Amino acid sequence: MADNEQALFETLQNMPYSLEAEQSVLGALLLEPDQIGFVLEQLPRPEMFYRKQHRELFAILCGMFSLNKTIDFVTVLDEAVRSSVFDNAENAKLYLVQLMELVPTTANLLDYCRIVREKYYLRALITACTDIAERSRNQETEAEQVLEYAEQRIYDIRQGKDPASLTKIDTVILEAYDRLTKMSGEDKDKYLGLRSGFSRLDMLLGGLNRSDLILLAARPGMGKSSFAMNIALNVARRYPEKSVVMFSLEMSNEQLVSRAMASEARIDSNKLRIGRLNADEWVQLASCADILSRMNFYFSDAAGVTVNDIKAKLMRLKDVGLVIIDYLQLMSSGRRTENRVQEISQMTRNLKIMAKELDVPVILLSQLSRAAEQRQGHKPMLSDLRDSGSIEQDADIVLFLYRDTYYKDGESSAEEAADPTDAQCIIAKNRHGSTGELDLRWIGEFTRFEDVEMFRDEPG
């Protein structure tokens, strides 16, 4: 056995854990099964127990709880025997009795859970540090890659994830069943996709779903930055416990906030830009600024950011609900290459991976090619996506913004002129459901989009 393999073996043999705490948690649950919900909040996964039998017993308890089965000594014993947790039924009975007898008091269940959780974190850190050290010794690995890997491993530990492990289907079924139960309960808003504030869009997409990469594309000046800002403000207002983060590679933070205030206060953005407001508008602006300042809304106007830069910033925030990046063609891959198509492909792939790892919807803005301008009707198509077909491939959802007046101004007579408030959001791709078109109202002076059918209730 090589020296590094021997060191790893010895490390794994001496992992920190508390036999007494693990036994006390399981014993307390056998004595007071109604505490299982409380324990699951502290120890959400069986992997947090170190001993194999303890993990398997806790998995049985979790499964019985999710399926609403009765939990007591007899039912748990039956499940343990059927699952071959012990060599035979007699050993199973003896150990379950021993677990109940070893509990000092069920009143200290929270402390027992805390000890089990802390030991789990220490084990996870030891394993992560061993892996990081091994990668650091590899002379062929770039330092930037090792740093990103190290940050990801620590982030995963904080989030209670173990990306290196395999998950058996029964565990996934229990998690899915638990999620479906919560989605139909009183706190369903916490588990459904985030509401964008546009009711028809939410109806077709099912909200902004976690881990989705949502591409919002349009020609320059069509209003995609404004639409993204409207969605961001709607989410920040409806979900005050969530952090909304907007990365703008085109506008400064001050310009972004000015747009947000114009939209929210319904003040002409041109008047706001030059500071020519009347007394009533100053009052409106002050009131709006107070509301905005209490939102968990973060901005970054750093130029040429990479996916790794974005990911590193997001990993330092708590409860990120929505990420917006404006826009793809201004991003940098962080590597020198003459092939821009390949560079764009790599960035969209990494952004999709980031959305999945952080479990958060990411709205990525993108420019469309000029092809639509040479086509009769001008409506955008998937083939208009600039630089790479992989943009369409990596995105879960592709949205296009279209305003008829963008093309018809100057082309039509006064009688034929398009209504400047008419706008459409085209769902060109939807991995989760149907595609289609929905009408919006564009209020240019406020840089604001609104639902045409404002009287419709939001979907439940």
Side-chain angles (χ1 to χ4, degrees), residues 380-445:
M381 303 164 57
L382 288 171
S383 58
D384 298 335
L385 292 171
R386 285 182 57 181
D387 297 315
S388 173
S390 73
I391 300 177
E392 175 193 346
Q393 177 184 319
D394 294 325
D396 297 284
I397 293 164
V398 177
L399 305 177
F400 294 132
L401 275 184
Y402 176 75
R403 290 190 290 116
D404 216 23
T405 187
Y406 180 90
Y407 295 102
K408 291 192 175 177
D409 278 0
E411 290 183 5
S412 308
S413 63
E415 293 80 11
E416 299 173 331
D419 185 341
T421 67
D422 284 349
Q424 282 185 316
C425 179
I426 302 167
I427 304 173
K429 176 185 177 182
N430 181 7
R431 195 163 276 166
H432 312 301
S434 60
T435 57
E437 299 180 4
L438 53 109
D439 293 326
L440 299 172
R441 180 89 40 212
W442 165 244
I443 309 173
E445 63 268 31

Side-chain angles (χ1 to χ4, degrees), residues 228-245:
M229 175 65 78
N230 296 159
I231 291 175
L233 289 168
N234 291 336
V235 170
R237 187 187 307 106
R238 180 169 182 136
Y239 305 92
E241 75 283 0
K242 298 286 186 183
S243 297
V244 175
V245 189

Side-chain angles (χ1 to χ4, degrees), residues 38-252:
F38 167 77
V39 171
L40 279 171
E41 292 178 0
Q42 310 300 317
L43 306 170
R45 296 187 327 284
E47 291 76 20
M48 302 184 89
F49 288 81
Y50 182 65
R51 290 194 63 178
K52 182 173 180 290
Q53 286 179 332
H54 293 168
R55 287 198 301 271
E56 293 172 345
L57 283 173
F58 191 68
I60 286 172
L61 289 165
C62 294
M64 295 175 72
F65 174 71
S66 295
L67 298 174
N68 204 25
K69 291 184 177 180
T70 301
I71 298 175
D72 60 26
F73 177 84
V74 175
T75 57
V76 174
L77 174 62
D78 181 63
E79 290 286 341
V81 171
R82 280 200 307 115
S83 303
S84 301
V85 177
F86 300 91
D87 295 335
N88 53 63
E90 189 59 32
N91 285 346
K93 185 187 297 184
L94 288 172
Y95 196 70
L96 294 184
V97 170
Q98 183 184 5
L99 287 176
M100 292 188 291
E101 290 176 345
L102 286 170
V103 182
T105 171
T106 57
N108 294 334
L109 183 55
L110 177 61
D111 291 316
Y112 306 148
C113 290
R114 177 184 54 77
I115 294 169
V116 172
R117 186 175 62 249
E118 287 183 355
K119 299 297 183 184
Y120 163 75
Y121 285 141
L122 290 173
R123 293 194 304 273
L125 279 170
I126 290 170
T127 304
C129 290
T130 304
D131 291 345
I132 293 165
E134 189 60 35
R135 287 181 180 240
S136 300
R137 293 190 190 96
N138 187 346
Q139 299 295 320
E140 297 178 2
T141 306
E142 295 180 7
E144 185 67 28
Q145 291 179 326
V146 177
L147 285 169
E148 183 186 352
Y149 176 77
E151 285 184 340
Q152 185 64 50
R153 287 299 299 268
I154 301 301
Y155 176 81
D156 287 338
I157 291 170
R158 284 189 177 277
Q159 298 300 307
K161 299 175 183 176
D162 184 5
S165 65
L166 296 172
T167 307
K168 195 167 178 286
I169 188 170
D170 59 345
T171 302
V172 181
I173 288 172
L174 291 174
E175 290 173 354
Y177 188 91
D178 182 55
R179 180 173 175 79
L180 286 170
T181 303
K182 289 173 179 174
M183 285 170 64
S184 60
E186 293 181 1
D187 295 331
K188 60 183 179 182
D189 272 0
K190 294 181 180 178
Y191 305 97
L192 292 169
L194 299 176
R195 293 293 183 253
S196 69
F198 295 90
S199 58
R200 288 273 295 155
L201 182 64
D202 290 332
M203 189 181 298
L204 290 169
L205 298 184
L208 308 174
N209 295 289
R210 292 186 296 184
S211 81
D212 274 0
L213 178 61
I214 303 165
L215 188 77
L216 174 60
R219 288 294 295 149
M222 195 68 76
K224 58 184 178 297
S225 296
S226 299
F227 189 54
M229 175 65 78
N230 296 159
I231 291 175
L233 289 168
N234 291 336
V235 170
R237 187 187 307 106
R238 180 169 182 136
Y239 305 92
E241 75 283 0
K242 298 286 186 183
S243 297
V244 175
V245 189
M246 189 166 191
F247 295 87
S248 176
L249 289 78
E250 188 175 34
M251 290 186 285
S252 69

Side-chain angles (χ1 to χ4, degrees), residues 279-403:
D280 290 339
E281 288 170 335
W282 277 114
V283 172
Q284 275 180 264
L285 190 65
S287 175
C288 172
D290 180 59
I291 293 169
L292 290 174
S293 65
R294 284 187 260 118
M295 290 181 177
N296 278 324
F297 199 165
Y298 298 84
F299 297 96
S300 172
D301 58 5
V305 293
T306 66
V307 177
N308 287 342
D309 294 334
I310 291 171
K311 187 175 173 182
K313 288 181 172 67
L314 294 174
M315 285 165 64
R316 295 185 181 97
L317 281 178
K318 289 184 178 180
D319 295 322
V320 178
L322 175 65
V323 178
I324 296 172
I325 303 169
D326 184 9
Y327 58 93
L328 174 62
Q329 283 74 21
L330 293 179
M331 289 183 66
S332 168
S333 67
R335 297 180 180 180
R336 293 182 181 179
T337 174
E338 295 180 1
N339 190 332
R340 183 59 177 168
V341 172
Q342 187 178 354
E343 197 175 1
I344 291 285
S345 298
Q346 187 65 40
M347 286 190 293
T348 56
R349 192 170 301 114
N350 288 341
L351 284 168
K352 172 55 189 172
I353 292 170
M354 182 189 80
K356 185 179 178 185
E357 287 179 344
L358 301 183
D359 199 27
V360 64
V362 175
I363 298 178
L364 174 64
L365 277 59
S366 177
Q367 298 277 29
L368 288 176
S369 69
R370 294 180 180 272
E373 297 181 357
Q374 286 130 31
R375 193 168 55 237
Q376 187 173 7
H378 304 302
K379 281 195 176 181
M381 303 164 57
L382 288 171
S383 58
D384 298 335
L385 292 171
R386 285 182 57 181
D387 297 315
S388 173
S390 73
I391 300 177
E392 175 193 346
Q393 177 184 319
D394 294 325
D396 297 284
I397 293 164
V398 177
L399 305 177
F400 294 132
L401 275 184
Y402 176 75
R403 290 190 290 116

